[in-house]
Structures are given as structure tokens and as C-alpha cells.
Amino acid sequence: MFVDLPLDELREYRPAIARPDDFAEFWTSELAAARQFDPPAEFRPIDTPLAGIDVFDVTFPGYGGHPIRGWLLLPRQMAADAPVVVEFVGYNGGRGDPLEWLLWAGTGHPHFVMDNRGQGGGWRGADTADPADPGEPSSNGFLTKGIADPHRHYYVRLYVDAARAVDAVLAHGASAGRAVVTTGASQGGALALAAASLHDRVAVVLPDVPFLSHPVRAVQITDAKPYGELAEYCAVYPDRIERVFHTLSYFDVANHATRIRKPALFSVGLIDEITPPSTVFAAYNRISGERPKEIIPYPFTGHQGGGIRQHREKLRFLARLDLTA
Amino acid sequence: MFVDLPLDELREYRPAIARPDDFAEFWTSELAAARQFDPPAEFRPIDTPLAGIDVFDVTFPGYGGHPIRGWLLLPRQMAADAPVVVEFVGYNGGRGDPLEWLLWAGTGHPHFVMDNRGQGGGWRGADTADPADPGEPSSNGFLTKGIADPHRHYYVRLYVDAARAVDAVLAHGASAGRAVVTTGASQGGALALAAASLHDRVAVVLPDVPFLSHPVRAVQITDAKPYGELAEYCAVYPDRIERVFHTLSYFDVANHATRIRKPALFSVGLIDEITPPSTVFAAYNRISGERPKEIIPYPFTGHQGGGIRQHREKLRFLARLDLTA
Amino acid sequence: MFVDLPLDELREYRPAIARPDDFAEFWTSELAAARQFDPPAEFRPIDTPLAGIDVFDVTFPGYGGHPIRGWLLLPRQMAADAPVVVEFVGYNGGRGDPLEWLLWAGTGHPHFVMDNRGQGGGWRGADTADPADPGEPSSNGFLTKGIADPHRHYYVRLYVDAARAVDAVLAHGASAGRAVVTTGASQGGALALAAASLHDRVAVVLPDVPFLSHPVRAVQITDAKPYGELAEYCAVYPDRIERVFHTLSYFDVANHATRIRKPALFSVGLIDEITPPSTVFAAYNRISGERPKEIIPYPFTGHQGGGIRQHREKLRFLARLDLTA
Amino acid sequence: MFVDLPLDELREYRPAIARPDDFAEFWTSELAAARQFDPPAEFRPIDTPLAGIDVFDVTFPGYGGHPIRGWLLLPRQMAADAPVVVEFVGYNGGRGDPLEWLLWAGTGHPHFVMDNRGQGGGWRGADTADPADPGEPSSNGFLTKGIADPHRHYYVRLYVDAARAVDAVLAHGASAGRAVVTTGASQGGALALAAASLHDRVAVVLPDVPFLSHPVRAVQITDAKPYGELAEYCAVYPDRIERVFHTLSYFDVANHATRIRKPALFSVGLIDEITPPSTVFAAYNRISGERPKEIIPYPFTGHQGGGIRQHREKLRFLARLDLTA
Amino acid sequence: MFVDLPLDELREYRPAIARPDDFAEFWTSELAAARQFDPPAEFRPIDTPLAGIDVFDVTFPGYGGHPIRGWLLLPRQMAADAPVVVEFVGYNGGRGDPLEWLLWAGTGHPHFVMDNRGQGGGWRGADTADPADPGEPSSNGFLTKGIADPHRHYYVRLYVDAARAVDAVLAHGASAGRAVVTTGASQGGALALAAASLHDRVAVVLPDVPFLSHPVRAVQITDAKPYGELAEYCAVYPDRIERVFHTLSYFDVANHATRIRKPALFSVGLIDEITPPSTVFAAYNRISGERPKEIIPYPFTGHQGGGIRQHREKLRFLARLDLTA
Amino acid sequence: MFVDLPLDELREYRPAIARPDDFAEFWTSELAAARQFDPPAEFRPIDTPLAGIDVFDVTFPGYGGHPIRGWLLLPRQMAADAPVVVEFVGYNGGRGDPLEWLLWAGTGHPHFVMDNRGQGGGWRGADTADPADPGEPSSNGFLTKGIADPHRHYYVRLYVDAARAVDAVLAHGASAGRAVVTTGASQGGALALAAASLHDRVAVVLPDVPFLSHPVRAVQITDAKPYGELAEYCAVYPDRIERVFHTLSYFDVANHATRIRKPALFSVGLIDEITPPSTVFAAYNRISGERPKEIIPYPFTGHQGGGIRQHREKLRFLARLDLTA
């Protein structure tokens, strides 16, 4: 049975985490480079059997200007102040079918779901390629792709895509006057935090069981995939261990958390072996500032998180904020 | 790796399956007894964050008149001829939260979800008790509860509940002029078939990976739960094996299938170890008559079935039928 | 590999454990209610192939007056001062066949084995039903049945049965002038302790690897069943966690242990993942008083415990006590 | 899930099994050699807490005259015609503690339990060494010890011990005028069959789930230990495969079965992966002659076999035979 | 336990396998395209602690002219007629360290080891990138990369690299007058066969437990990786199943085998779950012609194959051929 | 996931470990006894396909004068000062085929590989019997053979063999003027340390992931075999636990380490569950003296250790020593 720290220690868990000196510059320059590519995002309406929700097949320019796909779901009835929700998908899943995304639109929110480049082979299909991978030897999966250099790592592309997804959403008329909220589970939670760190217009972040937080700790307490990809790679290349974790420090959401001064609602499963609770708290405890932050622990729950309960927690959390954009 | 028969043999799989001589009388009399209890079903509107869907907390009299719960979701916009969909839930789950049930209402159908009495402890919560279990020694779970006597077996109560759920739905004004469709996965698929067998007003049945079909075969090729409960019980009481399978023959949906002369769309996972494909085909191949029937095989899929793809198959299948009630 | 605390820490393990204020009243009133039902216990002699042991099929009124079964084995040769041994059976087993119970009678003791109501589906058959379960949603198994209310929980019935079993045994002539000893392993150990707590006439308690001790700790270090049933239930109903453990506090044998001022011999397996050693010591360390108490640790043994070695320890332990009733 | 042939095919399963030409000579000569060593068996009475059963610690000369241990349990009350039961123990267990052997003596039979030389490290302790092993490379365990030569194989010693155990029992006065029955489970079942094949005075054989039957088939359908030891050895030494199975053909109880013209009662678990049912039937179907033979299949049972039920079957089977010695 | 067909059926296993009509054209054109890129292979001598073997770090132009790495080991003492051995590496391994490759050079053969582009993250490191992957959604691993189109599939690049490796080796002076032999295990065996199919100058092929043979069968009997990557992908995209297997038919070594009219020595493990024996025989049984061919079955061996035994079989097999180039 | 102590605690891990008072006398006397048997070691040249390496099939007198086998590989080109390497093999493997041992001879070292008596059934074949085992009950495997008495324990024979292997090697002319280095992995590492402790002429020791170090700790944190054999035995015989660990204290390489005043290079895998890192450091931290010692930790590596990387570390380590014999 997987056991991490007890809840009272988790609440105080504040490990030292290395952050590269050029962290801010790195991201400023990567984002600037991506924003050079600026064909307008394309919103193509599609036919669905959905009553009361309009769906758009979106293509927007992500990292390197590569075409990234997404779904935009617009309920025909929306409160004027309902924030736009930008959602990111977990590891090796994609945007799938718009019929799988009824929850936010069903509760009256414009909802954008970003596809994950190159992913989609694991459980929910995708429609976006990652044409820029250097193809260097890596363990199976995405975590060690291009690990030698943060500028070529897989996640620099995916994080930039996430920030550009916010740009794309803001370009649509339905966003006018609305606050932007990011959310997602696991890798989707990491992207929600990354977008909140990288994009000024994100007003609230709602990550569930976020991945890519304090990986140095993760690999010491679990060998479950995807963190296990790191262990696999480091077993083959023990002389590259330092470099691996240096590259990852640019993507560590615990490092991004220190830049986030926005309302935040996390969820965490206390027996989660995929994204162990101490790694989640490592990020949560570094979210700063006076704005409300909250974390909902699920004591007997693993990586599946809080499900529909947590969705209701999010609605409750948003309801008490003043979210006029 | 679980391997059952190859697809071409599955298509022709027609095993001999014992059906008790008093099968029809058994069910006629059980249903008649249940219909003695007739306080009208109660539809209590509840507040939800859903835009465009009205939700009712339903209580209706099931087997023994026991109060059975359910959700009724009514989209504010429905086509006049959209059939009512009555959905049943899988083993040891319950009706959960209405926010988990947006797919049918989201596509414009009145949608009723029946709670499972006594279940709900495994994965999705329930609100309905099963006050009538005789409490005889059984293996953990529901499959061997009251196994000594079909009149006292757990599933006589649940099957009668399913038929009574159709009665309840028909009692609501929104059903007027609409056809009734039953659906569900696994145990939910068994209940969908049972309701179609037991209730005249069910017009179409859409079972996914149905459970409780040809259990004699199931226990010979898999020990996965819930069928494994039978093996566990029979290991403790080897002298009761014959009685066990006699009782189950009243609930075997392959026996119910021979009574169903209605359009039917099945799905089946060809590597499904929970409800092995040969057991599913055993039922499908006994659905009779000239009305359209179809089965969608998912070759590399287990018990999770076809997901949203299968939902689209169901919409397609319904669209080509003439379903004016 | 399952590792709990090291032996020297176990010997000092004295966690704070909540005991409800009305603990004593609760049990006084439950027992009093059960003793209203008082048809005399019935002892029906049966034929067996056993040479030198007379066997009786016993029916006695348990909780709610429900008929509870048991075996009474009377060796034809018994020392006048040999105590009566009342034995309880582990989780989901029953009294089985009298031929399975030769050890105590074979060593000259009157021996009573109580059947477990509703259990018997897991490994050794039973003949006793539990007709009173409210049938509320619970995880598979017995630990969360009726968990919402200690008065309706499964174990209130089983614990009361255990105390009433002592009443039944005392009603038989063979008990005249003999001390009563309770014993059993796992759930049987819990019942042995419960009977010792609830019934004045129990003179010695000999629990092996007792279950139902300090469950709050158990669920934090193991997910093995049956404790795992709690985790399963709490994962589905996270909002009921507090209530679950409040109900269990009435059945926690660590709470019963504080009332036991009788000689006690425990056994414990130091790699036992089913009833982890720290939970066993939590109860043992709360047995009070000046009477001898002892615990035999088996360092490389799991839940199977000490087997025949422990039986010899029990004979040794009893031999040195003065047990004239 | 382990699946062997269905029951109706098992009943007709009669594979060709190679039997060496010198099979009879081999055993005649090995037994003759062992009978050279003839210090009388020693029966040392020991103190036990058992009421009504006298226990003797036995030492008798086995293969090579090596001292083999056993327990003799004599109930003080025995019917004059109750046969003597000689019991053999399963793989890597030993005779343990006499208190573990109450079933046959408790039902009025003289009962002898033979210790297994060199075994006893797996689950029940032993007191007998195997001083004659040549120590050649083998896989862990006993099945490939000395596999190069049937005269030096571990099982030539254990089988000869089994036949000599019958000699030893017959040397005790309590056996006078009594028939001899052999029994045991798994390896104990193989030894029961071997003793019946090798010793004229064995009148009835009652093997449960016997091991060492048709190993060529066993290794093709299971890799569970102990048969898996063969696969392990043959993987290291693929050029010795033929020799391995030639050596085993002397110990294959399917070959011994053809010599057994005595009443026989087998039991078999139809999901037994340790001694797969087809290997058990391979032996059973070769038991010859007009005397009654019977096999009890347990459909949902693995290697644990029929337990106390099967003990009652044995008592029933013996009762209908005329067993005056 | 994994069980495929018995050996006698394997020897006759000749399934129908689809081969695309343009199979020959496809490969002719792909090879021609690759041979456009022709900077000479580079052989850079490196220092090693090896006594008696000169080692060269090789870079040669593979598919798309991409730089592919390899090791060339030249023993200082070589028989004039010792063939050159070109070896390929298994799935997700790379060329590693030259000290890992002493067997062929140690037995007097020039030995070339090709690195696997993009692989090397699983167990033995690599130094070669795969810069041309289109990055489309795929399951983790290499088998479904670019699966939509054989011209873009990962294995078109790796197979072309293998043929080009033979070109590179022939460009070195040490190859003058020597025959070329290809070998390798698993994926390395597939590449050895592919090179033999695609390159005229390969005189002998020595594949061990080859991968990528008759994948349609493989996915029906095993879910072990890497074949399991296909099942994973097809579970996500059931509508692409036909396309997947069409693409793979260009790489199926059973299709390449029909073009190989050269001496061939295979090895196969009869309990190999990674490359099941029937898939290996499917290729072996299609090797045509009068030249000697042989397959060594290892009955109790899985994917690890015959190890050093098989190396000796290869030396024996080569010794009896007349291999003057 | 297996987790032992973190690296910084491992570096300081110095547990108290009991060493018997007669440790030195025990080994002095055992070695002296073995050296009575002194037929000269026999070096029989054999034919191999190896170019540039002469191979000898060696037989030398080990413990009790029993004939122990080995391979001696002599490269035709050796530096005058290249030390002789004596290598020992891991648990249940043997010397195998000389073609498996090219690394040390390939890098210019005389290389001797000792066979393991009685082992060889697990993964690499052996040719040496252990004719002296007393055959007492033990768990499967070698660790508890003769555990009652250090003079009869399996490892007294294997350790003496290891010291005598050094004698044998020194008897060959090729050793003249060369230093002796011992090495090996797991059990081979234990033997390398034992030989360094027991034999004066061993100049350097290079153990990888050594077994048999601080077993008291090992059994508390892992149940992986072979340490798990101890737990298995102690579970059957709990009253012998103290004796078991007393016997092992003579073989505990942490006790031998305190006698080693020679250069030493260890390797350790930080997630090694077979020989947990704390047990390895327990030995390493007790190597004494001023001569260089070093340990290479592999953070993400289990029992497979550092592979070829570690071989290069050994060459580096040897190169900086002054090893003229």
C-alpha cells in the first residue's frame, strides 16, 4: 500500500527546491518566440448531437507556430459573468470527442479543451502532432524526450502551447468581459498551473492532483509511471542524473507556483502513487499571496482524485470570488 | 492475457442454456406481486448548477414496495419524438450525483437513472437500501445473496425494480407520447435486457457488455469478480452447485433474450474478462425476430467497452428507427 | 514487504484512541435488550464418526433473539477443572463441520464454537443467517454494513451474539463448576475480547492476531481486506469518514481492552498485513490490571499466526492459572 | 485463471505415458536393497496433552537404512476392524507436531504419519535428514535433485521410505489383524500411490490431488512450483530434457497406477494449478481392475482439495469395503 | 503461464499473411531514396582497454541521410574467410559500450553493431537520434509511431538504416573478400531478416526470437510489450485497426522471409510471450529455397532465447557453409 | 517501490553487528583442515572458438578436498603487471561456458572463474557437486542448509572453496609475479570479500552488490529471495531464530570486512531489493585502513548493478594502484 506523509506533515511540507537563476528569462524568451507565429486561431463550428451547446473545432498556433487543436464548447445560455474555463488533459490523452466534455458547458461556462501534441495514444485520442521533437534516445513516453536541454524538452512545447491556448481563447468573442480559469488533472493540473504562471490573464487556477511537481521527491517514493520514466532513463544513463533534474526544474510546477498570486483550489489524493501527495503539497504550499487558496484532501483516494465532488468544490470556490474580468 | 473465442466463432456461438419450465410464470407472478404496492412515484425537483436541464429526485415503489431512488433529467429543449432513456448502473455502483449523467439529457433525451438497492459501496454512491435480504451466508457481494431460492435471490428484487422503474417513468408527464429505451453497461446491461423482457412498453434495448449472461460458461473461463463470487461460494459449498445455477437461470439474460422481439444494439469487448464476449454473444444470438439487431465488437477493449463511440452508435441506431410511441 | 513498527516500539505503542462517552451505556443497553429474548438454548446431539467426543448442534438466541448456531463438543474424559473454551471464527467463515474442531476437545476441554451470522461464504461454511441487516449501501463485506449507526452496525449483532454464546454455554450442565475461556483468531480474536469485555463470567481471554483493533491506524498502513473495506467505503463517501470511525469506536477492541481485568494471552505476527502488529499491541497494551498477561510475537509470520505452537502456549498459560470457577 | 480440460474430457483422458522396460526390476531391486537395513523400528511413547490418544515418536530404517521419523497415534478406543492409516505429507512439509494429526485417531483409527527426509523447510517442520544426496546442481527444491540417474534421484529415497513406513507400521502390535490404508495430499498423494504400488500389504489407497503424475503434461500447462522446478532446470540445461523425463518416469504415479489393483478413492480440484486435474486423471484412469475405484471432483477448488468433506468421503468409502486384513 | 501451439503444430504453422501488392516497389523506392544520401561512412578509431581488438566509432548515412552510429570491432587476428557479422539490437536498446560486444570479435570475426535511432532509453544506451518522426499521436514506444502511413512509420527508417548499415560495412577495407552475415535478437532479429531481404550482399541470416513477425497473430495471443503497444493504440482508435495492420504488413518479417533465399538459422523460445513461437515459425516456415535452413527450439525458455548455446549453434552453422564472398 | 535509507544516511550507516568471539579461530581451523587435501590443482586445456585466449578447465580441491571446477582464461597478450582476477558467481549460477567470460581476458587479464558447488540450477549451469551436505530440513535454496551449525553450514564450504580457489590460481605459472584481485556480484561479491578476508595474497577486492552482509537487517526490510529463505525458515521454526543468525554471523561479510586492509571498490544499487543498499554499506563502512576504498552508488538501479560502467570503474581503480605482487 502506498503511504506518503501524514496529512499534518503534508500541510507543513516545504522542501528546498532548486530554481534555475534564469527561470524567468527562460520563459519570457520562449513565450516571446512562440508569439511570433500569429495566424489567428481558427474556430470551425461543427455539427454535434448536443442540444443547447455550440461546439467549435479550434486550431491555434502553439510552440513553434505548430497547429494545436482544441474544442470550444459554448452553451447557448451563459451568465454574463461566468468565467471561461480552459482545461488541459492528462498524460497521453487527447481532446477526444466533444461529447466527453459536458460538465463545464452544462453548468453554463464557455469551455475550451486543449489537445496534447503527440499524445493521445494512451486512453483518449488526440488530433495534434508534435513535429518538433529532436528524436534523441529517451525512455518510452514524454518525460525524458529532449531531456538534455530545457529548450528542446517536450514540456517546453506543451507548456508554451498551454499559454498560447489562453491567447487563443481570449481571441474569441465569447471571452469578452470574462475571467479566465485554468483547470485539469494530473498533467492537466501541471498545465493549468503553468498557464497561470505564464499568462497574466489567468485569474484563477483549479489544479487536481497535479503532475510535474517536485520530481526529485517523486522518484524517491514511487516508481509508478509517468514519474517512473525518469527512473528508467536515469538507470540507463546514471551520469546524466543531474542534467535530467536541472532540465526538469524549468517545468517543476512547484517553481511556477511561487509566481502565482491568484486564487487557487487544489485537490489531492492521500494515497496517490502517481502524483504522490507530498509533491502536490510542495507546489500548493508555495502558492503565495493574500488571495484565497485552498486544498481538498481525499484521504482514501488515489490518482482518480475527487471526481464530481471536486467539480462541485470548484463551482463553490468560483462562486465566492469576484470574477469580473 | 484473457482470450475467449475468436470473433467468427462468437458470431455463431449458440450454447444450450437451461431455462426453467416456470420461467414465464415466475416473472409474471413476481411482477404482479410488486405492482400491488402502488403509491405513485414521487418526483421532487432539486436545485443543481445545470443550465438547461431540470433534475428530479425520484422515489418509486420497487420490489416489495420498497422505496427506490433515481434521477430524472429533463432537458428544457427536447424533440417531440426523442425517446425516454432509462439507464441502469453497473455492479456495486449507485445513481451518484446528477452531474454525472449529462450525456443523454445533453443530447435532448428525457433520462432516468435508477439507483441500485443496497449497492453503491464500490465506486459510485447510492441512496437506496435493500431491506429485504434474508441474510443467509453468501460470498461477499450480491451474486450469491439468497442463492438458495430464486424468490429470495438478490436479483429478483433488482430485476423487479428495473421493470417498476419503467412504470415510474411512464407515470411522468414528460413520457407522454415517447418510446422507452433501456440501456446500461455490465449489470446495467443485464437490467436493460431484463426490463425489455419484463415490460411491454420498452421499445428498444441498448445493452453494453451485459453481465449475468450464461454464467455457467463465465465461471469456466474467468475468475474475475463479480462472476468470481459464484466460484468462491461453490468452493465453500460444492454440494450446492446445481442449485446455484438453477437459481441463476431465472436471471440469465440469455434466457430473457429469447423473449425480446425489439430492436437491440449490443456492444462487447473482445478481451473483456469481467463479462467474457462469449457470454455476451450467447445472449445476443438469442435475441429473436425481424426487428433490427446489431452488435459492435471492440477487438482490443476489455470491460470498459466502447465509451463515447458506443454512445454515438446508439444515437445512430435510434435515429434510423421509427420510434413514435 | 509489509513492515510495521519494530518490536521494541510495539511493546511501548500506546496511541490515543477515542472512546465514546456512552460506551458502557451503549453495551449495557444492547445486552439487556438481547437478554429479553430467552428461549433456552437448544442442544441437539448428533451422530459423528468421532470416537470419544459427544457433539451437539446448538441453537441459541443471539442479538434480536435471532437463532444462532454452534457446535458443542464434549470429550467423554474431562478433568474436573478443565475450563470450557468458547471459540469464535474468523472473518467470513462459519462453524463448518464438527470434525474440524478436534484440538480443544482432544485435549480434554468442553469446547463451544459459535457460528457467525450471515458469514460463511468465504472459506468455511456457516448455518446462521443475519436477518436484521438494514441493507444500506456498503462496500462488499461486513465491516461497513450499517456503518451509519452503531446500533444498526453488523458488529453490534455479532458482538452481542458472542456474549450470548457465553450465556448459552453456561446453560449447559457440562459447564457447571468450570471457568470460561474465550479464544479465536482475527475476527475470532476480536469476539473473544468482546465477550471478555461484555460478560462477567469470562475468566481468561486468549486472542490470536485480533481484528477490529485501532482501525484508524490499520487503514493508514494497510489496504488488505477486511480493513480495506473501510478504505473502499470512505473513498466513495469521503464526507462520512468521521462517522465511520465513530461507529467503529464502539467495536474497537482496544476500547474493550481497557475494561478487561482478566488473564490474557495474545499472539501477533510481526509481518501481518491483515491485522498489523501495531494494532494488536494497541489493544494488548491497554489490557489492565495485576492478573498475568502475555503476548507471543512471531517475527516472520503474517496473519496465519503461531498455529499449533500457539495452542501449546495456551495450554501452558492456562495450566499455571487457578481456574476453579 | 487456470483452466485445464473440462470434466467430461478428463474422465476419458488416457494419454500415452512412457514406462521404462526395467520399471519393475528397478523397484524390486531398490526395495530389496533397502530391506537389508533392518534394525527394528523404534516406537518411543511421548507425553502429550491429548486425552484418549497415545502417541509414539517412531524411528524406522528407510532408504539406505537412514533413520526416518514419524508419529504413531493410537486411540485408546479402536474398533477391532478399523484399518491402520498411513499418511504422507505434502511437498516441503514434515510431520510437525502430533497435535496437528487428530482426525484419523479421533475417528478411531491407528494413524501413522511419515516424516519427509530433508523436507520441512516450507511450512510444517520435520525432524529427518536426507544424508545421501549427491549434491549435484539442481534447481531449488527436491524435484531435480539427482535427476541425472533414477538410482540417485531424491524421490527414489522418498518412495522407498514410504514402502518401508508400511513395514514399520506392520511391525507394531496395534496393526495385528488390521488392513493398511495409505493416504495423503499432493506429494503425500504420490507417496500413498507409490506405497500401494510397491507394498503388497497396502489394501486401499486414498490419494488427494496427487503430485508426480504425468509430469510431461504438467510442465506444458503450468509453471507453478513444484512442477515449475523442472522447467527451471530444463531452461538451464536444455540438452538434458530427455534424461530428466526418463528419470521421472520411474516416479510417475501414472506408471505406478497400472500396478495397483486395490480399491482407490481419489480427489481432484478442477482449477488446481499445482497438480493440474488432467495429470490426476491420467493416474486415476490407469488404476485397473474390478475393485471399486472412485474420484471426487471439486469443480471450483484448487490445490487445497476437498478438506473435511473429502475426509468424510474417505470414511464412507472405507465403510463399504470389507477390510479384514 | 504462456502457452502457444505445441512444437509439432508449430513446425507446420503456415498462416495466410497479407502482403501488399506494392511490397517490392515500396522497398525498392525507399532504399533508392536513402542511397541518394551518400557521404562516405566514417570510421573513427577509439581507445579502449581491449587487448587484441581495434574498435571504430562509425557514423553512416541511414534513412534520409541521417547520421547513424555503430561500433566496428576488428580482431587483430582474423581468419581470411571469417565472415563479417552485422548485428542489430533489441527494442529500445542501443549500441551501448564496445566492451559489451566481445563475442563475435573474440571468436575472430569483424563485427559491426548498429545503433537504433531514437531508441536506447530502455536498457542499453544509444547515441543516435531519430530526427524525422512526424510526432503523431501514438502509444508509448516505437511500434505505432507514424502508423498511419508506411512511408512515415518508424520502422521504415529503422529497416532502411539496417540495409544501409550493410552498405557501410562493405565500404570498410576489412570486409574485402568476406561474406556478410546478419544477426540479432528480437527487434535485432527482425532487422537481421529485413537486411537479408533488402540487401543482396547479405549471405546468411541468423535471427534469434525475431520480433515483428505476423503481428496479427501476436496481438491475439499476448498483450506483452512491445506488441502490446498495438493493442493499446487500437483500443484508443478502434476505427484504425485495419490501417494499422496494413502499415505493419510492409515490415512483417514473415513477408520479408518469402524473399530470402539464403542460409538461415533461427532460434525460438517455446514459452516466449514477447515474440510468441507461432509468430517466429510463421516467418521461418516461409524462408524458401534449397539453401540450408534450421531452427533451434528452446522448450522451457522465454524471450531470453538460447544465450551462449545459440552462439555456439551459429558458429557450427557458419562453419559448415562455404562462405567465400 | 523498494526504498531503503537515503544516500547520506547510508554513508554513515554503522550498525552494531555481533561477531562471535571465536570468529578468527573458526576460520583458521576450517582453512587449515581444507589445506590438508592437496592434490595439485589440475589445469586441462580445452578447445574453444576463441581467438587469442587460451582456456583451461580447472579442477582444484576445495572444502573437504572435494573437486571444485573453474575456468582459467589466459589472453595470449598480457601486460606483465596485469593482476590476476579471480571471479565468483552469483546465487544458484555456475561457471557456465567459457565464452560467457570474455571481459577480463579481453582486457588483458588472466581470469579465473570458480564454479559454485551444488548451485547452477537457477540460471547459469555448473559442473560441481556439493557431496557433503548433511541434508537437514531447510528452506529451498542454500541459505539455510546446515544452518544449525556453522561448521556444517553450506557457506562454510563455499567460503573455503573461495579461499582455495586463490591457492589454485597461485599454483599456475601465469600468476607468477602478479597481484591477485577478487571480484563478483551478489553472492559473488560476498565470496570476493570472504576470499579477501581469508587469504593473505588477495591484494584488492572489487565486490558488486554483495550478498550475505548484515542479514539481520536484510530480513527486516525485504522478503526477496535469497534473504527471504531465512524468513521462510524462521517462520517454520521460530524457536531457532537466534541460532540461525548466530550461524550466519560467521559468514556475514560485514564481519569479514573488519579484517580487510586492502584497496576495495564496491558498487551498490540504491533501489536494490535483493541486497538492500544499507546492508552493502554496513560492510563497506567497516572496511578499514588507509588504503583507498571507494563505493559507486547507482541511484536508480536495483540488483543488476552498474554493468559495463562498473567494469570500467574497476579498470580505472586498478590502474591507479601499484599492484606489483
Side-chain angles (χ1 to χ4, degrees), chain C residues 18-234:
Chain C
R19 186 165 126 177
D21 291 343
D22 67 341
F23 187 87
E25 294 73 9
F26 176 90
W27 285 110
T28 303
S29 108
E30 286 289 355
L31 265 175
R35 283 181 172 139
Q36 304 297 316
F37 300 92
D38 213 12
E42 212 186 306
F43 298 85
R44 194 168 53 81
I46 61 167
D47 249 14
T48 75
L50 293 173
I53 299 174
D54 295 317
V55 181
F56 301 84
D57 184 349
V58 184
T59 306
F60 70 93
Y63 176 96
H66 306 137
I68 309 299
R69 309 289 287 275
W71 301 121
L72 179 65
L73 292 89
L74 295 182
R76 301 223 180 96
Q77 294 175 327
M78 296 187 282
D81 61 348
V84 184
V85 176
V86 180
E87 182 153 1
F88 303 102
V89 178
Y91 185 87
N92 213 0
R95 65 174 184 169
D97 183 314
L99 270 64
E100 298 178 85
W101 300 104
L102 302 188
L103 211 44
W104 284 107
T107 51
H109 294 268
H111 186 207
F112 180 77
V113 180
M114 183 183 92
D115 211 12
N116 288 323
R117 58 164 68 211
Q119 299 195 354
W123 49 286
R124 188 194 279 131
D127 302 295
T128 303
D130 176 25
D133 187 70
E136 286 151 6
S138 62
S139 52
N140 281 348
F142 300 90
L143 201 43
T144 60
K145 282 196 174 192
I147 195 79
D149 177 357
H151 289 285
R152 293 156 61 87
H153 189 239
Y154 173 78
Y155 278 99
V156 77
R157 298 192 292 282
L158 198 64
Y159 276 35
V160 167
D161 291 349
R164 295 293 282 142
V166 177
D167 286 342
V169 166
L170 289 170
H172 191 278
S175 301
R178 297 183 189 276
V180 175
V181 171
T182 56
T183 193
S186 195
Q187 177 186 270
L191 292 168
L193 285 159
S197 155
L198 298 178
H199 202 295
D200 288 349
R201 279 294 307 279
V202 176
V204 184
V205 61
L206 309 171
D208 297 309
V209 296
F211 179 50
L212 275 172
S213 184
H214 198 12
V216 172
R217 162 115 184 138
V219 296
Q220 280 163 2
I221 57 172
T222 183
D223 52 7
K225 298 284 175 81
Y227 280 126
E229 298 172 11
L230 295 174
E232 206 169 289
Y233 185 86
C234 292

Side-chain angles (χ1 to χ4, degrees), chain D residues 249-290:
Chain D
S249 67
Y250 291 89
F251 309 103
D252 188 335
V253 294
N255 281 335
H256 285 278
T258 59
R259 303 174 10 140
I260 298 177
R261 294 167 191 284
K262 299 165 184 176
L265 173 68
F266 281 60
S267 69
V268 60
L270 297 192
I271 59 169
D272 184 347
E273 175 165 27
I274 311 293
T275 57
S278 58
T279 67
V280 174
F281 273 93
Y284 176 74
N285 288 337
R286 288 159 72 114
I287 297 272
S288 57
E290 310 99 64

Side-chain angles (χ1 to χ4, degrees), chain A residues 115-137:
Chain A
D115 211 12
N116 288 324
R117 58 165 66 211
Q119 300 194 357
W123 50 287
R124 188 195 278 131
D127 301 296
T128 303
D130 176 24
D133 189 71
E136 286 150 7

Side-chain angles (χ1 to χ4, degrees), chain B residues 111-289:
Chain B
H111 186 207
F112 181 76
V113 180
M114 184 183 91
D115 211 12
N116 289 323
R117 59 165 66 212
Q119 300 194 356
W123 49 288
R124 187 195 279 132
D127 302 296
T128 303
D130 176 24
D133 189 71
E136 286 150 8
S138 63
S139 51
N140 281 348
F142 300 90
L143 200 44
T144 61
K145 283 197 174 191
I147 194 78
D149 177 357
H151 289 284
R152 294 156 61 85
H153 188 238
Y154 174 78
Y155 279 99
V156 77
R157 298 192 293 281
L158 198 63
Y159 276 35
V160 167
D161 290 350
R164 295 292 281 143
V166 177
D167 287 342
V169 166
L170 290 170
H172 191 280
S175 301
R178 298 184 188 274
V180 175
V181 171
T182 57
T183 193
S186 196
Q187 177 187 271
L191 292 168
L193 285 159
S197 155
L198 299 177
H199 202 296
D200 288 348
R201 280 292 309 280
V202 176
V204 184
V205 62
L206 309 170
D208 297 309
V209 296
F211 178 50
L212 275 172
S213 185
H214 197 12
V216 172
R217 161 113 184 140
V219 295
Q220 280 164 2
I221 57 173
T222 183
D223 53 6
K225 298 286 175 79
Y227 281 126
E229 297 173 12
L230 294 174
E232 206 170 289
Y233 185 86
C234 292
V236 180
Y237 303 104
D239 49 325
R240 300 183 192 169
I241 293 175
E242 201 175 342
R243 205 195 313 170
V244 162
F245 289 99
H246 175 72
T247 291
L248 290 177
S249 66
Y250 291 89
F251 309 103
D252 188 336
V253 294
N255 281 335
H256 285 278
T258 58
R259 304 175 9 141
I260 298 177
R261 295 166 190 282
K262 299 165 184 177
L265 172 69
F266 281 60
S267 69
V268 60
L270 297 192
I271 58 170
D272 183 347
E273 174 164 28
I274 312 294
T275 58
S278 57
T279 66
V280 174
F281 272 93
Y284 176 75
N285 289 336
R286 289 159 73 113
I287 296 272
S288 57

